[in-house]
Amino acid sequence: MVNKSKLPTAALVPPTQSSGSFRFVLEGALQAATLHQVWKESMHQVAAVPSGQGLILDASKVSYCDAAGIALIVAVEEALKKQGSPFELIGLDARYHRLLEQFTDRTFAQESSSKADCRHLAEVLGEGVVNLSKDAFALVSFVGELIIAVLWAIFHPRQLRWRDVFLTCENVGANALPIVALISFLIGLIIAFQAAIPLRQFGAQNFVADLVAVSLVRELGPLMTAIILAGRSGAAFAAEIGTMKVNEEINALTTMGLQPVRFLVVARVVSAVVMMPVLTIFSLLFGLIGGGIVYLSLGFSLVLYCHQLVGALDLADLAGGLFKGAVFGLLVAAVGCFRGLQTEIGASAVGLSTTRAVVSGITLIVIADGIFSVSFYLLGI
Amino acid sequence: MTNAAKSLIEVSGLSVVYGDYTVLKEVSFEVTAGEVFVILGGSGCGKSTLLKHMIGLYQPASGRVVIDGDDIVAREARDREAILRKIGVMYQSGALFGSMTLLENVSLPLEEFTQLDAAAIQLIARMKLKLVGLEKFADYMPAEISGGMQKRAAIARAMALDPSILFLDEPSAGLDPVTSAELDALIKNLAQNLGITFVVVTHELPSIFAIADRVIMLDKSTKGIVATGDPRVLKDQHEAPAVRRFFNREAA
Ligand SMILES: Nc1ncnc2c1ncn2[C@@H]1O[C@H](COP(=O)(O)OP(=O)(O)O)[C@@H](O)[C@H]1O
Ligand SMILES: [Mg+2]
């Protein structure tokens, strides 16, 4: 009868005069949940059998034996084989014996392949270079595809999926407004406050307004907005497209004759490029409000603040800032989609793509910002 | 079967409603210890739904599910864990963890719920994979193997802790006839030798005739059981023509 409740035990009986073999007696219910103690003891005791000495495994008192129990018997046999000792199994109930018989060839018991072997530095380095060049190649071909798809969209505006564009615009733009407003407001506040202290030493506190205006409009407004975009939407694009890739939805699109880039990427890039300048304007507005609060609290009037702003900025500054914003939007959206399309198989792959989308997005933003600074300077803007 | 009268799972008055759509109405049946119990029915009639309610994954609109004397519907989450330890489940889509190799998938429950050392867990997991014929693919990721292999790996994972009840949702769908027959033999073998009780959802007629001790057939229009019993008997003798058609594979 099957009795699953009796805890298993193992005992090693040394050889007697009549039989020259060790006897190893297993008793009770061998099952995964309660087997660990017996397993350890068995391995210990089997190791104590002198090599060449035979061992008889007596399983006649085993009341129940699941596949984990069978594994124990197999493990004992394997260990003995390594020691070169003969092994004999007696008394195992017929129905458990039938389970054991399924494991007569022991190919599975081999150690797993040496996949995680230590690798040579040159190998790692070489692989890195190859991966980098593959990545660069993929990026170039993606940019090419994207340009073609965008041109196609410009010439066939009716065939663009406008519903997707508007939906993405809402996600990228309208839904990002609260966080953009909050961050920009605080940045404006902080810059003004930090600037007020050193400027007071020169008696130039009313130039706080100029400083806030120029740094926000030319630099920080577009930059902060783009970084928020990378964290919110760049990551979302990569995750959406990556999940589609994992579910073979991208393959489905391709076999339906739809180009993934045209179908998925164009709408997202267009929305990001359209919404970034709008978000940047809001960012500037809230940043200037934040700076203004500090300015007013220094004892100046609102009229003076506005006067200083108008004096410090011209339309070219604003246009430059908004243009930067649009370019950042393009970079973030494109690289987000690119990383999404690069997603490999498995659930962790989507997480990896998302991370890479944000990292690449921010890197590209900073590189582009540097290029803008130099070229604006050379162009005298 | 010895002392077969003992019922292991008891489902009584189970009703399931998704939103305002009733999938199952007042379904009652019992599963006997050690038998292979098969749930049949056309696509979308609620077989997977019934299975998920039997394992306490979802809360039914009304009714009770008792597994081995414990009411799984009424239980607190902590008690439920003890019941869940007695069962293994293979989901229709396999539901293997995509970021782990097959070996890691099968090892996971052993690592979490037993105190065996790593070498023992490895050996047990490899033996489970061997049972389903996947010993060569232990180090593959789920995405790198075919759908049928994923199903077999999912069965290996469901068996990791040697549960006394195994729930399988369409195990042989999408498998070739040979593999499918091997799987049937495996189920039969485990049921006879280890006394594991099986609750299997399947459409495959050859499988049904090969493994089933008893079947229930669900129907979409009555939202309940239309036939119950031995498939070999139902095939010729059931009074409803729809049931006979199902078993004889005839068009309506
Ligand atoms: N999570 C869910 N929410 C709403 N409806 C569902 C859900 N799961 C299944 N259904 C519906 O319940 C019915 C039965 O589904 P299911 O149990 O999966 O059928 P099958 O018998 O093919 O396994 C179907 O009509 C399906 O649309
Ligand atoms: Mg189903």
Side-chain angles (χ1 to χ4, degrees):
Chain A
M1 193 32 232
V2 172
N3 176 7
K4 291 195 191 180
S5 53
K6 191 171 184 310
L7 279 180
T9 58
L12 189 67
V13 184
T16 56
Q17 258 86 37
S18 53
S19 76
S21 300
F22 278 82
R23 281 170 71 84
F24 186 63
V25 184
L26 284 174
E27 208 173 321
L30 302 177
Q31 49 188 338
T34 51
L35 198 64
H36 57 279
Q37 205 56 42
V38 166
W39 191 296
K40 266 198 211 112
E41 281 169 23
S42 305
M43 288 305 144
H44 240 73
Q45 294 173 351
V46 166
V49 173
S51 74
Q53 280 270 25
L55 182 131
I56 296 172
L57 204 166
D58 182 354
S60 52
K61 288 181 185 151
V62 169
S63 59
Y64 176 77
C65 179
D66 67 12
I70 300 288
L72 174 61
I73 297 174
V74 169
V76 169
E77 190 180 343
E78 293 289 313
L80 282 169
K81 215 185 268 167
K82 255 185 221 148
Q83 296 178 17
S85 311
F87 170 84
E88 194 187 341
L89 174 67
I90 57 167
L92 186 65
D93 193 302
R95 59 182 144 190
Y96 306 134
H97 219 287
R98 252 170 282 158
L99 266 182
L100 181 61
E101 276 157 16
Q102 299 194 317
F103 302 104
T104 41
D105 97 81
R106 295 286 154 70
T107 44
F108 60 90
Q110 287 158 4
E111 283 311 298
S112 61
S113 58
S114 50
K115 236 182 185 177
D117 259 355
C118 217
R119 294 191 309 166
H120 204 270
L121 178 66
E123 197 186 332
V124 178
L125 213 66
E127 197 182 292
V129 171
V130 170
N131 284 344
L132 201 67
S133 56
K134 268 189 196 156
D135 206 38
F137 181 79
L139 187 63
V140 169
S141 74
F142 173 77
V143 169
E145 269 185 83
L146 182 60
I147 290 171
I148 292 172
V150 168
L151 286 180
W152 173 86
I154 289 172
F155 288 111
H156 305 81
R158 280 157 169 271
Q159 269 157 288
L160 189 60
R161 297 176 59 83
W162 287 104
R163 227 163 45 102
D164 286 1
V165 174
F166 290 132
L167 210 70
T168 319
C169 278
E170 189 186 331
N171 280 331
V172 169
N175 296 348
L177 195 54
I179 178 80
V180 167
L182 177 70
I183 301 267
S184 305
F185 175 78
L186 290 177
I187 292 280
L189 203 79
I190 292 164
I191 297 176
F193 189 74
Q194 295 286 6
I197 299 161
L199 284 179
R200 185 171 57 195
Q201 294 173 350
F202 301 104
Q205 267 184 327
N206 74 327
F207 286 106
V208 165
D210 300 54
L211 190 140
V212 169
V214 171
S215 59
L216 277 180
V217 173
R218 293 186 63 115
E219 196 59 48
L220 287 173
L223 193 66
M224 293 312 298
T225 315
I227 288 178
I228 293 170
L229 184 82
R232 276 186 89 257
S233 305
F237 292 168
E240 284 164 13
I241 296 180
T243 310
M244 294 182 73
K245 182 88 187 275
V246 170
N247 290 340
E248 297 200 277
E249 289 171 46
I250 304 282
N251 290 352
L253 280 178
T254 312
T255 46
M256 275 188 260
L258 299 166
Q259 293 169 16
V261 171
R262 191 183 288 175
F263 191 82
L264 296 171
V265 179
V266 172
R268 288 178 167 81
V269 169
V270 167
S271 330
V273 171
V274 172
M275 292 320 283
M276 259 304 283
V278 180
L279 277 179
T280 307
I281 290 179
F282 277 101
S283 158
L284 299 180
L285 177 66
F286 283 93
L288 292 177
I289 291 174
I293 287 174
V294 174
Y295 196 73
L296 295 190
S297 72
L298 292 174
F300 299 107
S301 73
L302 186 59
V303 178
L304 186 61
Y305 187 56
C306 294
H307 181 76
Q308 289 293 111
L309 293 187
V310 173
L313 296 169
D314 56 28
L315 224 49
D317 289 324
L318 185 64
L322 296 186
F323 178 69
K324 266 166 94 167
V327 173
F328 292 163
L330 171 72
L331 293 174
V332 166
V335 84
C337 296
F338 172 62
R339 292 305 187 196
L341 285 171
Q342 267 192 326
T343 304
E344 290 175 4
I345 43 186
S348 57
V350 177
L352 198 68
S353 301
T354 314
T355 311
R356 300 213 302 161
V358 176
V359 172
S360 312
I362 291 177
T363 313
L364 284 179
I365 291 168
V366 174
I367 293 174
D369 200 29
I371 295 173
F372 274 126
S373 301
V374 175
S375 45
F376 280 5
Y377 171 75
L378 293 177
L379 292 171
I381 299 174
Chain B
M1 219 135 299
T2 52
N3 65 341
K6 187 177 161 242
S7 82
L8 190 61
I9 307 174
E10 251 174 81
V11 177
S12 45
L14 186 77
S15 296
V16 177
V17 181
Y18 284 128
D20 53 6
Y21 174 66
T22 305
V23 183
L24 296 172
K25 210 153 85 189
E26 297 280 319
V27 172
S28 304
F29 60 92
E30 289 182 2
V31 180
T32 314
E35 77 175 336
V36 177
F37 184 86
V38 172
I39 302 173
L40 322 163
S43 285
C45 69
K47 304 180 298 294
S48 299
T49 302
L50 176 59
L51 198 81
K52 283 175 192 158
H53 283 82
M54 285 172 77
I55 57 183
L57 214 50
Y58 299 143
Q59 197 74 19
S62 67
R64 277 166 24 108
V65 176
V66 178
I67 294 184
D68 206 7
D70 293 309
D71 187 339
I72 198 160
V73 175
R75 279 310 159 102
E76 296 291 314
R78 207 154 43 85
D79 295 336
R80 195 176 290 181
E81 219 167 83
I83 308 174
L84 288 178
R85 204 69 58 78
K86 293 182 203 161
I87 68 179
V89 186
M90 188 216 96
Y91 293 93
Q92 192 163 1
S93 57
L96 293 169
F97 302 119
S99 55
M100 302 179 185
T101 64
L102 298 195
L103 190 68
E104 287 165 343
N105 263 288
V106 181
S107 306
L108 181 72
L110 290 162
E111 280 163 10
E112 292 294 316
F113 295 117
T114 72
Q115 284 145 36
L116 292 164
D117 57 37
I121 288 178
Q122 270 247 345
L123 180 63
I124 297 175
R126 278 180 193 279
M127 286 175 68
K128 303 280 169 179
L129 286 173
K130 164 101 179 165
L131 267 186
V132 295
L134 288 177
E135 68 275 18
K136 301 235 163 58
F137 297 91
D139 295 317
Y140 281 57
M141 302 300 274
E144 295 168 342
I145 59 175
S146 74
M149 289 154 91
Q150 288 180 6
K151 291 208 160 180
R152 283 188 279 153
I155 294 177
R157 187 180 68 182
M159 293 191 311
L161 289 171
D162 290 290
S164 48
I165 312 171
L166 268 177
F167 291 85
L168 311 178
D169 196 349
E170 306 210 4
S172 47
L175 296 189
D176 63 274
V178 176
T179 316
S180 177
E182 282 170 4
L183 199 60
D184 292 343
L186 172 69
I187 291 172
K188 224 37 204 172
N189 186 340
L190 291 170
Q192 275 165 4
N193 295 330
L194 292 183
I196 295 178
T197 309
F198 281 86
V199 177
V200 184
V201 170
T202 181
H203 292 291
E204 310 281 310
L205 283 174
S207 272
I208 294 167
F209 290 120
I211 61 174
D213 293 314
R214 224 150 50 84
V215 305
I216 56 171
M217 185 166 169
L218 298 179
D219 184 70
K220 207 169 184 170
S221 52
T222 63
K223 303 182 191 311
I225 300 173
V226 287
T228 159
D230 185 325
R232 286 152 286 250
V233 177
L234 294 179
K235 177 179 176 198
D236 301 319
Q237 295 172 16
H238 197 269
E239 66 268 18
V243 175
R244 291 200 306 271
R245 271 203 300 274
F246 186 98
F247 285 108
N248 290 302
R249 206 165 177 274
E250 288 163 5

